[in-house]
């Protein structure tokens, strides 16, 4: 390789090469190999263009330059005198001997394995002698040789399964000849300029020849070099699989393959007999449903989306924060396994984010399961070209549709496409994740256990936003408004948001879940699983995915701001307390035993002040040891850890306050040197969305804080406190996902010990009595207030059934009645928080009452409505059998008594003031029965 480019050549190199994506991770791989041994670069197909690029890139990044490359001559690059010198200098050794000498002297070399359009035998002769020499050299020296496969993709188009005459003449997409390579080279320049994408460099982790030879001790150098060749080609193929994806088939070919599958042919035959119609008519119906479902991915459309979205993203967002370490884990898994991406679903933008991120980071854009409501003309066609396939809201009433959909999804996974679906089923209108749905996950699991997929990894992903574009529509829906139907008109109104700013966008990846390992963990047979155990595992895994998404959701300045502002019952909060509470939350979330992910801006600010913060923590620890207990940090006025952290990220919090203030969601009042922040009543629902983005991080502490407050006493028996906390945990089972396989008692005691270490309460080990510290710590009230809005919402729904009735109500009527009651109670001051008026929370409360068998569902197939009435067991009319004295089979009477006792206590302790209203008194009477 040329050590130094001339002025003109250097200019041209920058012009042609600067737009190539050469990630730091790939550079680090080469530097790591160089530090441990000798580097040998390997590419599959001979290309002077590629070699020139790497000459420029290695020199630019300070990487070892190759002193030899088979099939490459760079005489023309060495200038006139260099050319003359080369004419009179002829090597006295064979090329393979030169390679051996260079590597023995720790000099890098560059090897191509194949020539474009060459026969396999010619390719073997072209490169195998060099690999043989590498193996022999490694046997003779103690220093390791690292063989690094390189992949440079100029055009992200896989080779066709059916080569054409043009492919024979000019080479294929990934093994192009000189002319086709030149076209790609010039094409990528203007495509990079308009953000259509960019060429990608991928460096594999490579082969340590020393370990490779040790792994095959009995193989001769010839056999070892043959195996090395296969391993290098396989590594390149795997990298291509990740970047290029499958070759793809036309939708017509996919349909013919699906139609021939036994599952579909059996269904068609059965329906033909059942309906008494010819099979051709069933096939025609099946083809129409297939066309309703199928995606038609187009590289051109993905490029157009990349260009348009690059403009949109950087117009409305201040930037992306992508978990690159997690992205790399996904890349590694995708080399040898099917991947199923399961992101959170909070905005319509979610459909676009991962496709954009994957394409920009040099990976295959996924196929996305989208609601059939998005298939409207003309956007439906555009979405299909961008990789969307469409799914109905319900599969009921048509036995044909679920078979076609399942076979299509499995066929795409078999082909090698990443598949993306939203396990929540719909967008969250509250900001916290919705309980999972199991249909798509069940399909994937059954495809694996049936042996149709060899390996599957599920990737939980959090897609988070500083602010979302659907704020106004979500607020209307929370208050009972109908969801606006998607249409072209709705999209054409979107340009108005191009003038707004929505902060930053965050993409975080949790560890991919290996389906095979997960089945083994719970001892479910991979080949022939028990149906009950399989269904139980599907539910467990679905909840695990939601929990994993929550675990990596980013804590942002806007989420912290909304949490602090909404968590204060006063009309406003002054700046000093606002920053102290900010510090309190951040300090809590960044404790060593927690794995919460803070936004990069917050993490960077904290890292800059880490020595000061650690010094203050050490001072507090010494003071705590001397004093015997901690004081309330929120009530303190001195300079301490919380204040220091608050001041450290004050600029970020000011930015979040300004972002809300510009949208009239926060009011900033200044009186002299004092600055106060308040939230207008009509903006509380919108801010609650951002608080709910992170409230799951505080659930154990919030439930314990609420349980402590429910006793209204300075001390309480540990067993009763545990029982009340357990009750709350069960009551909110449809609001949050709890840690997988975690025993409640362990989580409870862990949280209690944390409260005790903080000095907020004490546990007498002998008497098993918990005592609240004096004065009452404000932190306990702070945590308790995090769940008050949910308690208020549940109380509103429960109050509708305070008077036993036989009247049946459908779900919509119950929700509408709850919203009406909530508005009335809010106007009278009986409901304290506007955000307690929430349609999704009311629906969860109804679901809970049905789960507890307080309400029983009535079937009404004609109207297809969910209707309910209060169960007889709950009304107390059939709790025991008069003849035998046995308990009711539907509901345990003792459990009912505990439920009623606990609910009464929490309703009494719910508000900051005492309930004293007709609805509250009737509710108390109901729970006291």
């Amino acid at each position: 390789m040329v050590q130094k480019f001339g002025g003109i050549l250097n200019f041209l190199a920058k012009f042609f090469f600067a737009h190539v994506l050469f990630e730091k991770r790939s550079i680090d791989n080469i530097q790591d190999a160089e530090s441990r041994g000798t580097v040998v670069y390997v590419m599959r197909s001979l290309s002077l263009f590629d070699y020139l690029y790497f000459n420029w890139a290695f020199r630019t990044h300070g990487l070892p330059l190759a002193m030899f490359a088979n099939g490459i001559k760079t005489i023309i690059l060495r200038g006139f005198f260099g050319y003359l010198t080369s004419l009179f200098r002829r090597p006295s050794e064979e090329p393979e001997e030169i390679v051996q000498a260079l590597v023995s002297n720790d000099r890098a070399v560059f090897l191509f394995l194949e020539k474009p359009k060459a026969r396999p035998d010619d390719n073997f002769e072209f490169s195998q002698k060099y690999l043989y020499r590498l193996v022999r050299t490694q046997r003779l020296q103690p220093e390791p040789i690292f063989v690094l496969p390189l992949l440079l993709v100029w055009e992200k188009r896989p080779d066709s399964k059916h080569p054409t005459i043009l492919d024979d003449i000019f080479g294929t997409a990934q093994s192009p000849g000189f002319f086709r390579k030149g076209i790609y080279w010039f094409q990528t320049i203007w495509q990079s300029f308009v953000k259509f994408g960019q060429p990608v460099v991928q460096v594999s982790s490579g082969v340590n020849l020393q370990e490779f030879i040790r792994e095959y001790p009995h193989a001769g150098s010839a056999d070892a070099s043959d195996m090395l060749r296969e391993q290098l080609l396989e590594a390149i193929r795997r990298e291509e699989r990740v970047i290029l994806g499958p070759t793809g088939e036309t939708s017509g070919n996919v349909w013919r393959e699906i139609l021939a599958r036994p599952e579909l042919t059996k269904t068609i035959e059965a329906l033909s007999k059942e309906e008494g119609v010819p099979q051709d008519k069933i096939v025609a119906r099946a083809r129409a449903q297939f066309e309703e479902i199928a995606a038609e991915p187009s590289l051109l459309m993905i490029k157009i989306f990349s260009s348009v979205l690059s403009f949109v993203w950087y117009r409305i967002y201040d930037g992306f924060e992508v978990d690159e370490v997690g992205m790399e884990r996904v890349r590694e898994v995708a080399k040898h396994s099917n991947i199923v991406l399961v992101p959170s679903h909070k905005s319509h933008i979610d459909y676009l984010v991962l496709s954009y991120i994957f394409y920009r980071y040099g990976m295959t854009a996924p196929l996305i399961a989208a609601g059939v409501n998005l298939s409207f003309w003309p956007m439906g066609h555009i979405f299909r070209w961008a990789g969307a396939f469409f799914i109905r809201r319900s599969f009921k009433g048509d036995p044909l549709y679920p078979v076609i959909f399942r076979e299509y999804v499995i066929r795409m996974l078999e082909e090698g496409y990443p598949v993306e679906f939203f396990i929540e089923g719909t967008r969250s209108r509250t900001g916290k994740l919705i309980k999972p749905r199991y249909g798509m996950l069940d399909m994937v699991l059954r495809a694996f256990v049936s042996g149709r997929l060899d390996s599957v990894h599920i990737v939980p992903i959090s897609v988070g936003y500083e602010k979302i574009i659907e704020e106004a529509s979500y607020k209307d829906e929370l208050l009972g408004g109908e969801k606006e139907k998607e249409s072209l008109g709705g999209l054409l109104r979107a340009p108005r948001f191009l003038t707004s700013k929505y902060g930053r966008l965050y993409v975080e990846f949790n560890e991919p879940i290996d389906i095979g390992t997960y089945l083994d963990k719970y001892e479910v047979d991979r080949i022939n699983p028990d149906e009950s155990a399989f269904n139980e595992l599907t539910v467990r895994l679905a909840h695990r995915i939601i929990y994993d998404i929550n675990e990596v959701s980013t804590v942002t300045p806007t989420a912290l701001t909304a949490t602090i502002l909404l968590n204060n019952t006063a009309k406003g909060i002054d700046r000093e307390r606002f920053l102290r509470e900010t510090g309190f939350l951040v300090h809590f979330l960044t404790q060593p035993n927690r794995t919460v992910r803070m936004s990069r801006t917050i993490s960077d600010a904290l890292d800059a002040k880490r020595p000061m913060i650690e010094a203050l923590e050490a001072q507090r620890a010494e003071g705590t040891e001397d004093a015997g207990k901690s004081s309330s940090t929120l009530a303190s006025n001195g300079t301490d850890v919380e204040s220091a952290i608050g001041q450290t990220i004050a600029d970020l919090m000011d930015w979040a306050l300004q972002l809300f203030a510009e949208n009239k969601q926060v009011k900033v009042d200044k009186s002299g040197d004092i600055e106060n922040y308040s939230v207008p009543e009509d903006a509380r629902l919108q801010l609650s969305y951002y608080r709910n983005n992170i409230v799951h991080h505080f659930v154990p502490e919030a439930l314990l804080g609420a349980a402590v407050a429910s006793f209204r006493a300075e001390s309480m028996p540990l067993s009763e406190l545990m029982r009340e906390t357990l009750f709350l945990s069960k009551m909110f089972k449809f609001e949050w996902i709890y840690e997988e396989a975690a025993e409640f008692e362990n989580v409870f005691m862990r949280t209690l010990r944390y409260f005790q270490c903080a000095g907020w309460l004490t546990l007498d080990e002998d008497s098993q009595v918990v005592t609240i510290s004096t004065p009452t710590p404000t932190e306990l009230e702070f945590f308790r207030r995090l769940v008050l809005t949910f308690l208020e919402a549940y109380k509103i729904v429960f109050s509708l059934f305070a008077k036993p009735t036989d009247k049946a109500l459908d779900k919509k009527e119950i929700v509408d009645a709850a919203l009406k009651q909530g508005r009335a109670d809010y106007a009278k001051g009986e409901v304290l928080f506007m955000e307690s008026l929430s349609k999704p929370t009311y629906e969860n409360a109804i679901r809970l009452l049905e789960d507890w068998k307080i309400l029983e569902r009535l079937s009404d197939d004609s109207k297809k409505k969910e209707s309910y009435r209060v169960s007889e067991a709950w009304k107390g009319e059939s709790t025991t059998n008069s003849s035998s004295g046995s308990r009711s089979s539907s509901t345990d009477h003792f459990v009912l008594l505990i439920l009623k006792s606990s609910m009464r206590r929490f309703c009494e302790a719910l508000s900051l003031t005492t309930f004293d209203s007709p609805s509250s008194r009737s509710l108390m009477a109901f729970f006291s029965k």
Side-chain angles (χ1 to χ4, degrees), residues 404-457:
I404 295 171
F405 185 85
R406 181 177 64 249
E407 292 303 315
Y408 175 77
V409 172
I410 295 172
R411 175 66 182 80
M412 292 298 99
L413 285 168
E414 289 173 341
E415 185 73 9
Y417 283 105
V419 170
E420 172 187 343
F421 71 88
F422 301 102
I423 199 166
E424 299 166 88
T426 187
R427 289 169 293 156
S428 168
R429 270 65 173 178
T430 64
K432 62 184 184 60
L433 300 189
I434 302 171
K435 282 285 183 174
R437 298 184 180 181
Y438 311 119
M440 283 282 290
L441 182 62
D442 182 81
M443 288 181 193
V444 173
L445 291 177
R446 290 186 184 277
F448 176 78
V449 298
S450 66
R452 299 172 70 176
L453 300 174
D454 295 329
S455 176
V456 180
H457 283 73

Side-chain angles (χ1 to χ4, degrees), residues 161-162 246-261 263-264 290 293-295 338 367 389 403-419 443-444 447-448 450 452-453:
K161 284 184 178 179
H162 311 289
T247 55
E249 288 280 9
T250 64
S251 60
N253 287 342
V254 173
W255 162 247
R256 282 187 286 274
E257 289 185 25
I258 290 176
L259 183 61
R261 295 197 169 187
E263 292 80 0
L264 184 55
F290 169 82
I293 294 166
N338 293 107
L367 299 184
F389 62 96
V403 177
I404 295 171
F405 185 85
R406 181 177 64 249
E407 292 303 315
Y408 175 77
V409 172
I410 295 172
R411 175 66 182 80
M412 292 298 99
L413 285 168
E414 289 173 341
E415 185 73 9
Y417 283 105
V419 170
M443 288 181 193
V444 173
F448 176 78
S450 66
R452 299 172 70 176
L453 300 174

Side-chain angles (χ1 to χ4, degrees), residues 37 83 121 367 685 763-764:
Y83 173 71
D121 289 345
L367 299 184
L685 267 175
L763 169 63
D764 188 312

Side-chain angles (χ1 to χ4, degrees), residues 522-651:
Y522 292 101
E523 299 180 347
V524 176
D525 192 333
R526 292 193 187 195
I527 307 302
N528 187 26
D530 175 74
E531 187 66 18
S532 176
F534 181 86
N535 291 335
E536 183 180 333
L537 180 128
T538 302
V539 173
R540 181 189 294 274
L541 178 57
H543 286 76
R544 157 74 182 275
I545 292 169
I546 294 287
Y547 181 85
D548 282 1
I549 295 173
N550 269 335
E551 191 178 35
V552 297
S553 61
T554 309
V555 176
T556 65
T558 52
L560 291 171
T561 300
T563 301
I564 293 163
L565 294 178
L566 294 180
N567 220 36
N568 280 271
T569 54
K571 289 186 177 180
I573 180 173
D574 64 81
R575 180 175 179 79
E576 181 183 352
R577 185 173 182 85
F578 173 79
L579 291 179
R580 174 173 288 280
E581 293 193 3
T582 298
F584 169 72
L585 288 183
V586 172
H587 189 239
F588 172 83
L589 292 170
T590 54
Q591 292 297 301
N593 60 332
R594 298 183 184 275
T595 57
V596 178
R597 300 198 184 184
M598 313 298 291
S599 74
R600 195 172 302 159
T601 52
I602 295 177
S603 295
D604 289 347
L606 293 176
D607 289 342
K609 298 288 186 180
R610 183 65 58 193
M612 178 193 69
I613 294 171
E614 289 177 351
L616 290 172
E617 287 178 330
Q619 290 177 15
R620 170 179 290 179
E622 292 176 5
T624 301
E625 186 176 343
D626 294 339
K629 65 176 183 178
S630 297
S631 60
S632 175
T633 57
L634 291 183
S636 173
N637 293 318
T639 300
D640 58 12
V641 180
E642 284 73 20
S643 294
I645 293 175
Q647 291 295 335
T648 297
I649 61 173
D651 290 344

Side-chain angles (χ1 to χ4, degrees), residues 43-280:
M43 288 193 73
R44 181 172 62 184
S45 186
L46 175 66
S47 169
L48 176 60
F49 284 158
D50 293 355
Y51 187 75
L52 290 177
Y53 166 75
F54 281 114
N55 192 160
W56 176 83
F58 292 164
R59 192 179 62 84
T60 300
H61 296 291
L63 301 174
L65 299 179
M67 296 294 102
F68 173 88
N70 58 327
I72 295 291
K73 295 186 182 298
T74 58
I75 295 175
I76 193 173
L77 303 178
R78 300 179 186 277
F80 178 73
F81 292 105
Y83 173 71
L84 289 179
T85 302
S86 67
L87 292 178
F88 299 100
R89 186 174 61 192
R90 289 286 185 269
S92 59
E93 299 174 294
E94 293 297 323
E96 59 268 31
E97 293 175 345
I98 295 174
V99 168
Q100 182 169 344
L102 287 171
V103 172
S104 298
N105 288 283
D106 195 25
R107 307 302 295 273
V109 297
F110 203 115
L111 301 179
F112 293 98
L113 298 179
E114 301 173 353
K115 291 181 178 180
K117 300 183 293 180
R119 296 179 305 152
D121 289 345
D122 293 337
N123 284 331
F124 190 85
E125 184 179 348
F126 172 64
S127 59
Q128 195 61 19
K129 55 189 175 184
Y130 301 109
L131 299 181
Y132 175 79
R133 290 286 181 155
L134 290 180
V135 173
R136 283 189 59 185
T137 304
Q138 182 64 83
R139 292 186 189 278
L140 298 173
Q141 67 179 43
E143 295 79 14
I145 299 171
F146 290 90
V147 187
L148 302 180
L150 306 181
L151 181 65
L152 174 52
V153 178
W154 293 96
E155 172 69 2
K156 298 176 185 176
R157 187 184 306 279
D159 288 338
S160 173
K161 284 184 178 179
H162 311 289
T164 64
I165 295 177
L166 291 178
D167 292 331
D168 293 334
I169 297 173
F170 299 110
T172 65
Q174 295 308 315
S175 294
F178 181 86
F179 182 73
R180 190 167 190 170
K181 175 75 75 170
I183 292 175
Y184 285 167
W185 206 0
F186 284 98
Q187 172 182 293
T188 54
I189 296 173
W190 71 265
Q191 288 193 356
S192 298
F193 179 76
V194 297
K195 304 298 183 183
F196 261 40
Q198 60 191 135
V200 176
V201 170
Q202 190 63 36
V203 179
S204 175
S205 55
V207 178
N208 182 333
L209 267 189
Q210 197 174 65
E211 295 179 358
F212 180 82
I213 292 173
R214 192 178 298 131
E215 187 177 352
Y216 302 101
H218 302 296
S221 295
D223 291 338
S225 62
D226 289 349
M227 290 187 288
L228 175 61
R229 181 189 190 87
E230 289 304 314
Q231 188 165 329
L232 293 171
L233 287 171
E234 178 60 25
I236 293 171
R237 282 192 290 267
R238 287 182 175 181
E239 297 290 357
E240 286 181 336
R241 165 188 169 131
V242 173
I243 296 174
L244 305 174
T247 55
E249 288 280 9
T250 64
S251 60
N253 287 342
V254 173
W255 162 247
R256 282 187 286 274
E257 289 185 25
I258 290 176
L259 183 61
R261 295 197 169 187
E263 292 80 0
L264 184 55
T265 56
K266 291 178 183 178
T267 303
I268 290 173
E269 291 172 0
L271 284 176
S272 175
K273 292 179 181 179
E274 181 181 333
E275 298 179 10
V277 298
Q279 288 190 20
D280 289 348

Side-chain angles (χ1 to χ4, degrees), residues 349-389:
I349 301 296
D350 297 335
Y351 287 106
L352 310 174
V353 169
L354 285 187
S355 294
Y356 177 80
I357 292 293
F358 269 55
Y359 182 69
R360 298 295 293 176
Y361 276 75
M363 294 181 65
T364 307
L367 299 184
I368 310 163
V372 73
N373 56 311
L374 291 176
S375 64
F376 59 89
W377 186 91
M379 296 308 298
H381 295 292
I382 295 175
F383 291 149
R384 288 183 200 276
W385 295 331
F389 62 96

Side-chain angles (χ1 to χ4, degrees), residues 573-577 579 647 668-677:
I573 180 173
D574 64 81
R575 180 175 179 79
E576 181 183 352
R577 185 173 182 85
L579 291 179
Q647 291 295 335
V668 181
D669 294 313
K670 292 185 179 180
S671 178
D673 295 333
I674 300 176
E675 196 170 273
N676 287 282
Y677 313 117

